Amino acid sequence: MKNPPPYPLSSVDNALLLLHILRDQGRLTVSEAAELLGIGRSTAHRLLAMLVYRDFAVQDDAREYRPGPSLVVSAGGHQGTGELNMQLRPLMTSLRDRFKETVHLVVRNGRWVRFIASVECDQYLRVGDRRGTTMPARTTSGGKALLAELSDEQLSRLYHVKDESGGASLDSEHDLPQDKWDAMMQSVGAIRRRGFALNVGESEVGLTAVGVVLRNVREVPVAALSVAAPTARLGRRNAERIGIELCAIARTHRVNEATGVLEPLARAGGPDELPGSA
């Protein structure tokens, strides 16, 4: 039997218990949460609101709370992202300064992407820090760029999965409707032709982002880099210009698997240096 720590934090413990309950029960109301934890309704509501904010829960039309994408996505496939985050931050900062917009780094886990790093720009109207956020891969520029690395057969196996549990699946992306599948495959085709992905209001209204895949020396995709901005400031022409510049970096550099550093390919025929690497 586990003993509690010497100085337990009840609010943290209650939040973690709610995660267990959501995972196991699949649904929860504010009243049920308050009763199960022996706390007031207002406290239960605040705890659930924080879980929603961090994507561990979502609230449906019936005002019930259900598991969010951060409960669906396992951290098991995200090995070594801390090193990747640290080593790529100078590049991300340089790109932020060059484009005057926020830069994100994401990794894919199945049908979802997790934002593992963000470098915010200092403009008053800007895209904020997304670290820790989980989103459907098909709606984000980095996620779409990573999905385009898969074959059509692999994509079909990934998205055309029937729920055999007899209940509501925790993963809302598991069996994609035909219209969304067609839209995704059309987008994937465009990404394969031009080398970068665009997200114009797909993940969030009023947001535009452009993303590219970063590969290791074995040509395996390891992450995606994206530049994001308010649509009012980042029109399609500018987004495509940024995409071309990001493609030049991604095409002529590879992530060192041992260090996480993005290094130039020997005599790659592209830029000799990354922005900010001098």
Side-chain angles (χ1 to χ4, degrees), residues 191-222:
I191 295 163
R192 289 169 178 166
R193 289 192 298 272
R194 67 187 174 216
F196 61 87
L198 288 174
N199 162 22
V200 182
E202 295 172 69
S203 61
E204 184 177 329
V205 176
L207 179 148
T208 293
V210 54
V212 297
V213 167
L214 301 179
R215 300 176 180 84
N216 61 24
V217 293
R218 295 180 292 113
E219 299 301 321
V220 175
V222 295

Side-chain angles (χ1 to χ4, degrees), residues 35-91:
E35 182 178 351
L36 288 168
L37 298 179
I39 58 178
R41 282 174 52 90
S42 61
T43 301
H45 182 267
R46 290 196 298 271
L47 288 171
L48 287 165
M50 284 305 301
L51 295 186
V52 170
Y53 177 66
R54 291 299 181 186
D55 292 326
F56 285 100
V58 294
Q59 190 175 28
D60 61 20
D61 294 338
R63 303 188 66 79
E64 291 184 341
Y65 293 86
R66 297 183 181 276
S70 289
L71 274 183
V72 174
V73 177
S74 166
H78 298 163
Q79 300 298 324
T81 58
E83 190 71 22
L84 194 64
N85 179 350
M86 182 176 67
Q87 296 294 347
L88 292 182
R89 184 159 291 272
L91 169 62

Side-chain angles (χ1 to χ4, degrees), residues 17-188:
L17 285 171
L18 282 179
L19 289 177
H20 286 301
I21 295 167
L22 277 172
R23 180 198 61 195
D24 297 339
Q25 293 187 185
R27 53 166 294 283
L28 191 66
T29 65
V30 172
S31 298
E32 289 170 341
E35 182 178 351
L36 288 168
L37 298 179
I39 58 178
R41 282 174 52 90
S42 61
T43 301
H45 182 267
R46 290 196 298 271
L47 288 171
L48 287 165
M50 284 305 301
L51 295 186
V52 170
Y53 177 66
R54 291 299 181 186
D55 292 326
F56 285 100
V58 294
Q59 190 175 28
D60 61 20
D61 294 338
R63 303 188 66 79
E64 291 184 341
Y65 293 86
R66 297 183 181 276
S70 289
L71 274 183
V72 174
V73 177
S74 166
H78 298 163
Q79 300 298 324
T81 58
E83 190 71 22
L84 194 64
N85 179 350
M86 182 176 67
Q87 296 294 347
L88 292 182
R89 184 159 291 272
L91 169 62
M92 295 174 67
T93 300
S94 178
L95 292 174
R96 185 271 314 272
D97 295 341
R98 177 174 178 79
F99 299 126
K100 311 299 183 188
E101 302 295 356
T102 298
V103 180
H104 299 301
L105 184 67
V106 304
V107 291
R108 183 179 69 85
N109 190 328
R111 296 174 284 269
W112 300 82
V113 289
R114 188 187 301 277
F115 289 70
I116 63 171
S118 292
V119 178
E120 281 191 69
C121 68
D122 58 5
Q123 303 212 51
Y124 181 76
L125 181 63
R126 64 181 181 272
V127 176
D129 192 325
R130 295 285 194 269
R131 282 177 299 174
T133 300
T134 304
M135 291 185 178
R138 63 184 177 82
T139 66
T140 69
S141 63
K144 291 198 289 184
L146 289 164
L147 288 174
E149 294 291 309
L150 302 177
S151 68
D152 289 0
E153 182 181 352
Q154 288 173 316
L155 287 170
S156 181
R157 289 200 302 266
L158 187 63
Y159 280 95
H160 292 158
V161 179
K162 296 295 184 183
D163 180 21
E164 305 293 343
S165 66
S169 172
L170 299 186
D171 187 346
S172 60
E173 296 285 296
H174 79 283
D175 188 12
L176 209 59
Q178 189 63 42
D179 59 335
K180 292 183 179 179
W181 166 261
D182 291 342
M184 184 183 74
M185 293 306 294
Q186 183 177 4
S187 179
V188 162

